[in-house]
Amino acid sequence: MSQENTQYPYEPEFSITRLVNDRIKDIKYVFRFKTALLVALIAGGLAGALTAWIWDPTYTAKLTFVVDDSKSSGSGGGLSALAGLAGVDLNGVGGGSGVLAGDNVQELIKSRKLIKATLLTAYDSAQTLADKYAAVYKLNKKWLEYSQDGKITRFPLNGIHNTRLQDSLLHEMTTLILSGDFEIAKTDKKLGFFEVNTTMKDERLAQLFCIRMINQSTDFYISTKTQKLRDNVNRLQKRADSIGLILNRKTYAAAAANQSTLDLNPAYTASNANIEVRERDKVVLSTVFSETVKNLEASKTMLAQSTPTVQIVDEPELPLKKNKFKYSITIPAGILLFELVLAFYLLFTRKKIKTGN
């Protein structure tokens, strides 16, 4: 019985020395094409310089603010402090008050509603921030195909009566802003400091958008946090005003009744009873008015204590930080990219020639 010998293809063992030698051979092969390498060097340098020259610069507006909500942090502040000594973070446990507590402020400021409201504020006397943003990013010309009259779409202040097209375009601008133009971050999880960065191609647009965005967010934040207390204060104020007005009328009526009884015959008791009734009504109204005013002042004190403070620490000031590609970076990067592409091309074509394809 003969045994058939099966031959297997030979696989050389892996060797670091062989791998290094192969790469050295590749480098030597590439350096044979000195002329092509020189052309790639010049072309890459020119491409990098051209990129830095034609690339539009952007400007970054940076704003830092702090939120001081003494009421929401009072109940859990001591516990959080003790837990912090043990290395445990209890932020938001027992210290928050509602959906606008703690880190939720970041999500509030990035809401589309507030961004649209900010875009519809004035850039100058002739245009809004939305108009300027559309012009700077050349969106107004891009949107001409959607215009029914063939004119550039404008965005009026406040946008109360916006058309469907205007709302759609505002939504598109909001998406672009949220994709990278506008960012907010908490500088330290244990602190209440927030940092807002707005990067746009127009310097004044970036500054105005950053500041007004925080103003819009602050008004909305404070209004929402204190809505119930403000409604209660307004209700008590109206009640106190109406009771005070009635009390004044009762006081004048009682004084007039007392004056009219000076010349009457003491035998007429009906007049005396009328005076007594008016005096009693005045006393009752005076008591109710006193309690209402007391409750009003207590509600005002609670409102003052519960109103959070949003304090701007650093505002963006002109000139803003300018973001532009530097020639010292783009030229070497262009040279490196072109040289690598040429090297890979030479090595690839050499392998094809060797295989006979």
Side-chain angles (χ1 to χ4, degrees):
M1 181 176 179
S2 62
Q3 183 178 3
E4 183 179 356
N5 293 328
T6 306
Q7 295 183 352
Y8 295 97
Y10 172 72
E11 294 183 1
E13 296 181 359
F14 176 77
S15 173
I16 296 179
T17 303
R18 185 182 297 107
L19 180 63
V20 173
N21 291 333
D22 290 342
R23 299 291 80 79
I24 292 175
K25 291 180 181 179
D26 291 340
I27 294 174
K28 289 181 179 180
Y29 176 78
V30 170
F31 272 97
R32 293 179 186 177
F33 302 88
K34 292 184 173 61
T35 304
L37 290 174
L38 180 61
V39 172
L41 185 145
I42 296 174
L46 291 176
L50 183 63
T51 301
W53 182 62
I54 66 175
W55 197 271
D56 293 332
T58 58
Y59 302 88
T60 299
K62 178 181 176 181
L63 186 146
T64 305
F65 68 95
V66 61
V67 179
D68 180 18
D69 193 351
S70 57
K71 182 179 179 181
S72 63
S73 61
S75 60
L79 180 60
S80 297
L82 292 175
L85 296 176
V88 180
D89 186 9
L90 292 184
N91 285 339
V93 180
S97 61
V99 297
L100 293 182
D103 294 339
N104 290 344
V105 174
Q106 296 176 245
E107 296 302 319
L108 167 67
I109 295 179
K110 291 190 296 184
S111 68
R112 293 179 176 271
K113 176 181 178 181
L114 296 180
I115 292 177
K116 290 180 181 180
T118 303
L119 286 172
L120 295 176
T121 59
Y123 178 84
D124 53 29
S125 58
Q127 57 186 340
T128 60
L129 295 185
D131 293 329
K132 186 64 177 179
Y133 186 90
V136 169
Y137 288 87
K138 300 178 181 180
L139 298 175
N140 49 6
K141 296 181 179 179
K142 173 185 174 184
W143 294 335
L144 280 176
E145 58 179 309
Y146 304 114
S147 178
Q148 296 180 353
D149 55 3
K151 297 181 180 179
I152 292 177
T153 304
R154 303 297 299 270
F155 301 89
L157 286 173
N158 302 322
I160 299 176
H161 302 292
N162 275 347
T163 62
R164 181 184 179 88
L165 176 61
Q166 288 171 327
D167 287 335
S168 299
L169 300 182
L170 279 173
H171 181 78
E172 182 176 343
M173 281 190 285
T174 302
T175 303
L176 290 174
I177 290 173
L178 288 175
S179 64
D181 292 345
F182 183 78
E183 296 177 350
I184 178 172
K186 200 170 184 181
T187 56
D188 192 329
K189 292 184 178 181
K190 296 182 180 179
L191 301 177
F193 285 86
F194 295 87
E195 181 179 294
V196 176
N197 290 295
T198 303
T199 303
M200 295 182 178
K201 293 182 179 181
D202 183 81
E203 188 176 27
R204 187 164 181 263
L205 177 64
Q207 181 195 35
L208 291 178
F209 184 87
C210 187
I211 294 175
R212 291 180 183 173
M213 189 66 196
I214 297 303
N215 291 337
Q216 292 273 355
S217 304
T218 298
D219 294 341
F220 183 82
Y221 176 73
I222 294 177
S223 175
T224 305
K225 291 278 286 187
T226 60
Q227 182 66 44
K228 293 182 180 179
L229 286 174
R230 284 187 294 107
D231 291 343
N232 189 46
V233 168
N234 293 333
R235 180 178 59 81
L236 289 173
Q237 185 66 60
K238 291 180 180 179
R239 185 177 182 185
D241 292 341
S242 60
I243 294 176
L245 182 62
I246 297 174
L247 181 60
N248 290 337
R249 293 175 180 174
K250 291 291 183 181
T251 302
Y252 285 116
N258 287 328
Q259 182 67 29
S260 63
T261 57
L262 294 178
D263 299 329
L264 289 177
N265 190 332
Y268 294 98
T269 58
S271 298
N272 294 330
N274 188 29
I275 295 173
E276 186 176 348
V277 169
R278 292 185 178 182
E279 288 291 340
R280 182 193 62 192
D281 292 343
K282 187 180 74 172
V283 171
V284 172
L285 282 173
S286 179
T287 303
V288 174
F289 180 74
S290 177
E291 291 297 323
T292 302
V293 171
K294 186 187 299 182
N295 293 333
L296 174 61
E297 294 303 319
S299 297
K300 287 182 178 180
T301 302
M302 290 179 61
L303 176 61
Q305 293 177 348
S306 301
T307 301
T309 302
V310 179
Q311 182 64 45
I312 295 178
V313 180
D314 292 318
E315 284 189 353
E317 296 180 352
L318 299 178
L320 299 179
K321 176 185 175 183
K322 188 176 182 179
N323 308 307
K324 186 175 176 61
F325 284 136
K326 297 181 180 180
Y327 289 99
S328 59
I329 296 177
T330 57
I331 292 178
I335 293 174
L336 180 61
L337 178 62
F338 274 60
E339 296 288 0
L340 288 176
V341 171
L342 176 62
F344 282 117
Y345 173 76
L346 293 175
L347 294 174
F348 179 74
T349 54
R350 183 186 66 169
K351 291 181 180 179
K352 290 185 67 175
I353 294 174
K354 284 184 177 181
T355 57
N357 294 329

